[in-house]
Amino acid sequence: MTEKALSGVRILDMTHVQSGPTCTQLLAWFGADVIKVERPHVGDATRSQLRDIPDVDSLYFTMLNHNKRSITLNTKDDKGKEIFTRLLEECDVMVENFAPGALDRMGFSWERIQEINPRLVYASVKGFGPGPYQDCKVYENVSQCAGGAASTTGFEDGPPTVTGAQIGDSGTGLHLALGIVTALFQRETSGRGQRVSCAMQDGVLNLCRVKLRDQQRLQHGPLKEYPQYPHGTFGESVPRAGNASGGGQPGWAVKCAPGGIDDYLYVIIQPQVWAAWMKTIGHEELIDDPEWATPEARLPKLEQCFAMIEEWTQTKTKYEAMDILNAHNIPCGPIVSMKELAEEPSLRATGTIVEVEHPTRGPYLTVGNPIKLSDSPSDIERSPLLGEHTDEILREVVGYTDAEVQTAREQGAIGSEQLLGEMEHPKPAPQAGA
Ligand code: CAO
């Protein structure tokens, strides 16, 4: 096996659902040995959520748990706690995203964990940081609402809207992964582990940074790049801006031919390409017209600008329009559907979309590692079956003999899923040459 950036780092993965698993999957892609601890016979709830094939791990689970090993362990049982303590001693990092207080109730407070292994980095995701909501359970959309994304997303006459991008779960998992590698880096000099905490509300707010910028700008006048300007009204809070650009250059999604649900192009009116825009869409007369020629003059007329552009884009497909505009260095991008992304050859070529083989599901598509390291390329390996590596981990990491593994199983501290699975579905003998 080739060395990877995080080879030699061992992670005790107590995560479930999406936020925590996103984090540990990334660390596994960078080469860490990620040991996912799951409740015997139950496992991560997502194994059985949104199932497309009966009795097979869901895509929800498989797409968030690549490159990990799975051990089933009852961490509320005395023998299970003993094994868990040994695992804490042998690992560099422990990651969890249980409901607030769950790990303390199991008997593993931060203080106790420091006693067990002072070099351990203990990382957790919670919905909220310290404060009035610290004890609340939180899911993705709750955090999008709590972190300012929902109130600033959607059209001004519509309700608050959540986004399809999982900025609360996967976004916070990303933040946590950075916290973990930073803590490991500091351990190199301090010799000590530390606690890494990410609240989903904070993670979402961090990604909504530009909206807090606009909240403060609002005190000094209307937000001139918002569709509410100049005819609408602004209240006390940043309003929903539809498809307006969040940056300094005005943008909007305009319709293209043949008029299907995703036949749109996102266009940006960068000042330096105003002349190219007007030439392309047949409005040369506006290139030097003082009523239109400067960004300031255009701000109250953005709706008309995009309407003129749309008249032209509706005569082209989004890809035809993009080719023409790209030739003039005009920033734009098609609205791309999930179907188109799944079929896009360039994303397959870079390993951003990967086809993975799974023993009970067969082949499926997943998103590979979006972070490409030149010296540590990611090989995407299928997610583990429930408890697939229980015996192997107990022997290799905890140092148990076969007899000790057997005793732990008889006591109910570990599961017997794989033994049951093998009895029900005996593995075929390897074929010659396989
Ligand atoms: N052995 C024994 N018990 C185990 C176990 C194991 N291996 N793994 C988990 N458990 C127990 C926990 O200790 C907990 O028991 P108690 O309630 O008695 O302490 C119980 O299983 C359930 O854990 P939970 O409360 O975390 O799970 P939930 O389904 O009720 O809540 C969620 C899920 C996500 C709302 C909650 O975990 C949470 O708020 N997490 C923090 C925020 C977060 O990450 N949210 C992202 C969710 S994805 O949208």
Side-chain angles (χ1 to χ4, degrees), residues 86-104:
R86 283 284 303 122
L87 287 168
L88 285 168
E89 284 167 354
E90 295 299 328
C91 287
D92 299 284
V93 180
M94 199 269 275
V95 192
E96 62 91 17
N97 67 310
F98 289 130
L103 218 67
D104 299 65

Side-chain angles (χ1 to χ4, degrees), residues 16-17 19 73 75-76 97 99 105-106 137-138 140 169:
H16 65 157
V17 203
S19 63
L73 185 64
T75 50
K76 287 185 174 165
N97 67 310
R105 286 193 288 278
M106 273 181 212
K137 288 186 177 181
V138 167
E140 170 69 46
D169 277 336

Side-chain angles (χ1 to χ4, degrees), residues 264-281:
Y264 282 82
L265 184 73
Y266 198 90
V267 295
I268 293 173
I269 308 179
Q270 217 191 2
Q272 53 268 50
V273 293
W274 171 249
W277 256 124
M278 291 304 105
K279 243 185 245 165
T280 306
I281 67 171

Side-chain angles (χ1 to χ4, degrees), residues 2-44:
T2 45
E3 279 292 294
K4 296 274 162 73
L6 293 182
S7 290
V9 173
R10 188 172 274 155
I11 298 187
L12 192 53
D13 180 8
M14 293 286 283
T15 69
H16 65 157
V17 203
Q18 187 182 166
S19 63
T22 304
C23 165
T24 50
Q25 176 170 261
L26 270 174
L27 302 174
W29 281 336
F30 291 137
D33 176 15
V34 175
I35 297 174
K36 184 166 174 109
V37 177
E38 296 180 81
R39 227 177 325 171
H41 307 291
V42 180
D44 186 327

